Amino acid sequence: MHNFNYHRAADVADASGKLTSLDDPKVLAGGMTLLPTLKNRLAAPSDLIDLAGIADLKGISVEGNEVVVRAMTPHAVVAASAEVQKALPALAQLAGNIGDPAVRHRGTIGGSVANSDPAADYPAGCVGLDATIVTNKRKIAADDFFLGLFETALEAGEVITSVRFKIPERACYMKFRHPASGYAVVGVMVAKYGAKARVAVTGAGPCVFRVAEMEAALEKSFAPASVADIKVSPEQLMGDIHCSAEYRAHLITVYARRAVEAMV
Amino acid sequence: MGEFGIGQPVRRKEDVRLLTGGGEFTDDINLEAQVYAAFVRSPHANAKIVAIDALAARSMDGVIAVYTGQDLVDAGVGVLINDASYTNRNGKPMNKPVRQVMPVAQTRFVGEVLAMVIADTPAQARDAAEAVEIDYDVLPAIASTAHALDKGAPLVWPEFGENLIVHWEYGDKDDVEAKLAAAHTRVRVDLVNNRLIVSPMEPRCAAAEYDAAADSLTVYTPSQGGRRLQMMLARNLLKMAPEKVRIISRDTGGGFGIRSKMYPETVMVAFAARKLARPVKWRGDRSETFVSDYHGRDQINVAEMGLDANGRASVLKVETLLNVGAYLSENGVRLPMEGGGRIIPCMYDIPDFYFSVKPMFTNTICTDTYRGAGRPEANYIMERLMDAGARALGLSREEIRRRNFITESQMPYKTHLGFTLDSGDFDGTMQMALDAADWNGFEARRAESASRGKLRGIGLATFIEGAGSRPVEGMRMRFEENGDVTLFAGTYSHGQGHDTVYAQLVNEFLGVDFDKVNLIDGDTATSPETSNGTFGSRSSMVGGMGVKRASEAIVAKGRKIAAHLLQTDAERVVFENGIFRAQSSSVTLAEVAAASRDASKMPEGMALGLDETVVFENDVENFPNGAHVCELEIDPETGILEILNYIAVDDCGVVLNPFIVHGQVYGGVMQGVGQALTENVVYDASGQLLSASYMDYGMPRAAHMPMIEALFNIVPAKTNELGVKGAGEAGACGAPPAILSAVGDALSHIGVSHIDMPLTPERVWRAIQEASVKAA
């Protein structure tokens, strides 16, 4: 680990100010990716701005047709929340299967979303559940938020404060874990909003994406058979020594169908 | 047999200390005024070292020294030795390169240590290590076991003109070929025994201090026993008298074979401590263990077996390619011959055998002993062949084994490579496993799985091990004034539970309270002179017999002292449960021990003290064996495989502590599950290690661990008086073939004829896809 200056932000404005004024700062929002990166000397930020002390950034509420999870809420809290389990059980289930218990107690939704790791679970939750990413500056639709591999719409000094998930009629998240890392190789969130359907896939590509063809088919008929034969091209997908792009493409179809099966 | 004696499931006395943070691992050792080492490692698999520029590094904050290979040459440091000696049939000796601790002219694998930085803090050392600039002339590299012997492959050691180390052969190839051609049925398997990262929980670590006045060096390091390291470091490397070098391993977080070896970093830490006359410490991180700990396995085997119409195998040919890495590690090159060779063709009586081994150099870290060390590989070959034979002849898998087992009436049975199997009830052991697994009721379970769209399979593997290698070991027993007994062992417990088992033995033989027996090991200053360490499932036999021999000597001596105290003849004194009796009078062992310190109470002419140092020496090893049955289910849509039931029946002779042996079985099975399902080292064509972290290397998780029913079929070994057979490596022998047999069973029904380890979901899925394409 290289040296850095550690700051415990007093509030979001303080964090945002430091983010714009310091040399090469990074937000610490749980640190489940950042800390291993630092330990392996793969990054050397000048300053870490820790959001852990900001009470306003923790907590869960159901507001109208939305589940609101504040940015520094750990995954384990989302998983165990009676409100989330009642209003949006698919989200509780997603959060409860992220990483391992240690990760679930330290990692936060804001940290996960801001990182846009291609193998993270929350991006599929956000896009599949038509979420809005709320920052100290604006509201960003999840569809517009995740731009690419570790790339989001966040601008300099912008800090995520909460994520607002639209409560669906039904939803289900299913994932295939990587044989080595345990991360999602394919994670599929399927959600039904009246006549509308959303299918969001994480893990398989460089960034979370929706499968329009599956959504259209489900909107015609919300049944497993509707997606069972829809293939995603492996060309846009990633591959590694354990799971080729072709295999990932195959798994997307299988897990989308299984998610729908679990919902009907 | 008391509550703490032989065969009792005594809870491990070392666990409370280890589980409550009382362990003392090398990184827990901090020496006064110590400085820290960091290493510069090669980023290239094969490159000439043009120049090393450490000027910038030397001028950085806190930097005390930078050493390169040239500094070692200049200081007269020796080289890392290998004493293997094999010859080709044409008489040409094996190719043996010189291995410098840090190479001067050329680096031959990614991660090789090329320079060492010493600084005041670990961070300063690392920063400076990154500032050492090395100018390389990058050369083509070869990492592939399958292609390193190809014509035109880059040469690891051009001076040999080949990557082949030696072509070692046993048997008459032409005769075996002819017999295979004439056989009623001939089966062949093509196997890859995947290379593995051994992954002890504790990364490598070393701390050393030098006493200039005494010219003596103390090195703390995880190990499997320090004597061999001491001798190597003193005699071969640093050119010191062995008694001036002390190796201490307080606790070690996993050995598995690779922790018994001398590594360049250990030599360097010792060298720097002496050179600077300051304590030096280095703790490797996990990334360093991936690239610089020796790896395990890495064979390619082509094997053929000829059978008659009754399923009797009469002829066998095994051709093995072995990837030894860039250098000759201590034992890597020996494993097929002296590891697997102890047993092959395993538990089967096959009269005609041709065995060819081609160890090779590649631009990879060396391979060396890993749990089983050649025996898992040998058993894997034979079990895959037996399954293939069963399929070819339409015999059941248990029946073909039964027809080929070496029987008890054939024992002692001389193996092809000159070992003698003394005991074993192979058929009975297999039958126990089949019964426990409800083997005959399987088809109903298969049908039930099929009704849920799943492919269910059941697999069988029988295996034999050769344990207790280098059967010579010292043991010292000392009586303390407070009545405690202290054992000084040359074996070294690094997870095996010797504190507990040796205390059970002392309790059994001398009646001393279990809690009053203490073990001291892991220190060359206190261990008996004859001490080899703990590896190859040897400690139950060599350490256990050491305790027995010492106890016998003590009882013999004690009877004389007791007779003197009781005023009778030694022949009339009986020793039982810690008490010497002669008719109605008696004296306890503790009283005899106390008397032995007092000349006035001793018989005339007898030396004071009851303590004993013995050397147990055996001509032969022992041969644990077993049968494992694995039942699993495959999701054909994803290739995900789930182990549903696992039966392990082991004949490890007399069981000293079933609780501990079960632990060994579980751990060994888990490592076998890892090899079969998830673990695989992958190098790319340029020799870069792709599976260099747990993000990419599939360590098995708790969720992969099946519930294991571990049973014993106890057939006492005839090679030692305790009747014990080793237990540490059996699980790793049985699990891979049992799992592959089960997958073969599940998939053969849909036309899959071949699949290799590791059975990752994608591999299984692809095999199913290919079979269904073929069927269509």
Side-chain angles (χ1 to χ4, degrees), chain B residues 152-458:
Chain B
L155 294 179
V156 181
W157 295 94
E159 52 267 55
F160 300 134
E162 58 185 354
N163 287 324
L164 183 69
I165 296 169
V166 66
H167 183 197
W168 181 92
E169 293 170 276
Y170 167 85
D172 185 333
K173 185 176 187 183
D174 293 339
D175 180 54
V176 163
E177 295 275 13
K179 284 175 173 156
L180 278 170
H184 171 271
T185 296
R186 178 176 184 169
V187 291
R188 169 180 165 137
V189 291
D190 292 77
L191 305 172
V192 175
N193 206 292
N194 36 328
R195 182 185 268 241
L196 306 174
I197 303 268
V198 175
S199 294
M201 205 178 282
E202 181 192 22
R204 215 136 37 75
C205 193
E209 70 186 324
Y210 178 68
D211 179 340
D215 184 31
S216 70
L217 188 66
T218 302
V219 180
Y220 298 85
T221 178
S223 79
Q224 296 180 224
R227 186 71 77 215
R228 282 174 58 252
L229 301 181
Q230 174 198 24
M231 293 300 163
M232 244 183 283
L233 194 58
R235 288 184 179 149
N236 305 108
L237 291 153
L238 299 182
K239 315 290 169 69
M240 297 169 74
E243 61 272 19
K244 297 287 188 184
V245 175
R246 180 179 179 187
I247 307 282
I248 300 177
S249 309
R250 298 269 187 250
D251 285 306
T252 290
F256 308 115
I258 60 158
R259 281 289 173 272
S260 66
K261 306 302 180 298
M262 177 61 82
Y263 288 91
E265 293 89 341
T266 318
V267 183
M268 287 305 301
V269 167
F271 166 79
R274 185 178 66 173
K275 178 105 178 155
L276 298 167
R278 270 188 90 169
V280 175
K281 180 171 176 179
W282 167 71
R283 196 208 67 190
D285 63 22
R286 185 55 67 182
S287 302
E288 289 181 290
T289 70
F290 269 87
V291 297
S292 72
D293 269 12
Y294 290 157
H295 293 173
R297 315 283 191 249
D298 203 341
Q299 295 187 3
I300 292 176
N301 315 106
V302 178
E304 290 189 87
M305 185 168 74
L307 302 117
D308 68 16
N310 295 319
R312 273 283 300 148
S314 58
V315 57
L316 173 70
K317 181 174 85 165
V318 175
E319 292 174 304
T320 290
L321 302 179
L322 169 71
N323 188 336
V324 173
Y327 299 96
L328 292 172
S329 56
E330 284 166 45
N331 290 326
V333 70
R334 306 175 198 271
L335 297 181
M337 296 82 101
E338 292 173 51
R342 283 179 212 159
I343 46 161
I344 198 161
C346 301
M347 28 200 7
Y348 307 110
D349 177 28
I350 304 178
D352 289 301
F353 178 38
Y354 171 72
F355 188 19
S356 149
V357 181
K358 291 182 175 175
M360 65 184 76
F361 294 117
T362 62
N363 293 111
T364 64
I365 178 71
C366 298
T367 55
D368 208 306
T369 50
Y370 169 55
R371 205 167 193 163
R375 282 96 73 196
E377 296 92 318
N379 282 294
Y380 186 67
I381 295 165
M382 292 312 301
E383 293 310 284
R384 295 287 307 250
L385 274 174
M386 283 296 160
D387 276 13
R391 200 168 303 140
L393 284 165
L395 278 174
S396 72
R397 286 169 288 170
E398 67 275 28
E399 186 54 31
I400 193 165
R401 284 170 172 78
R402 201 171 279 134
R403 291 184 189 181
N404 288 287
F405 279 147
I406 297 161
T407 61
E408 287 184 284
S409 65
Q410 290 173 283
M411 293 179 196
Y413 178 92
K414 191 108 169 151
T415 69
H416 280 278
L417 272 66
F419 289 78
T420 303
L421 307 186
D422 61 293
S423 62
D425 168 22
F426 305 148
D427 192 12
T429 300
M430 180 176 77
Q431 194 57 49
M432 269 182 81
L434 299 173
D435 292 344
D438 186 21
W439 179 267
N440 291 334
F442 174 72
E443 288 306 326
R445 301 194 292 281
R446 192 199 305 274
E448 189 279 326
S449 292
S451 73
R452 290 181 284 107
K454 299 287 172 65
L455 299 169
R456 196 171 182 126
I458 193 164

Side-chain angles (χ1 to χ4, degrees), chain A residues 1 41, chain B residues 27 34-38 117-129 281-283:
Chain A
M1 197 180 273
R41 298 165 72 93
Chain B
D27 195 35
Q34 69 190 7
V35 290
Y36 296 87
V117 175
I118 308 287
D120 289 330
T121 71
Q124 287 169 335
R126 292 201 104 172
D127 285 342
K281 180 171 176 179
W282 167 71
R283 196 208 67 190

Side-chain angles (χ1 to χ4, degrees), chain A residues 2 40-41 176 178-183 241-244 246-247 250-251 254-255 257-258, chain B residues 126-127 130 287 635 637-638 640 678 682 690-691 694-698 701 761-762 765-766:
Chain A
H2 296 281
N40 281 315
R41 298 165 72 93
F176 177 96
H178 191 273
S181 71
Y183 275 84
I241 57 177
H242 295 274
C243 301
S244 67
E246 192 190 338
Y247 183 52
H250 165 75
L251 291 175
V254 172
Y255 280 76
R257 194 203 73 222
R258 289 183 180 183
Chain B
R126 292 201 104 172
D127 285 342
E130 283 175 11
S287 302
D635 176 350
E637 264 191 332
T638 61
I640 291 176
T678 65
V682 182
L690 299 181
S691 53
Y694 293 128
M695 295 295 282
D696 300 298
Y697 184 78
R701 312 284 171 108
E762 177 161 6
W765 173 73
R766 281 194 181 279

Side-chain angles (χ1 to χ4, degrees), chain B residues 14-26 28 250-251:
Chain B
E14 46 273 83
D15 281 352
V16 170
R17 180 176 68 82
L18 290 168
L19 294 175
T20 55
E24 195 178 14
F25 298 87
T26 301
D28 295 324
R250 298 269 187 250
D251 285 306

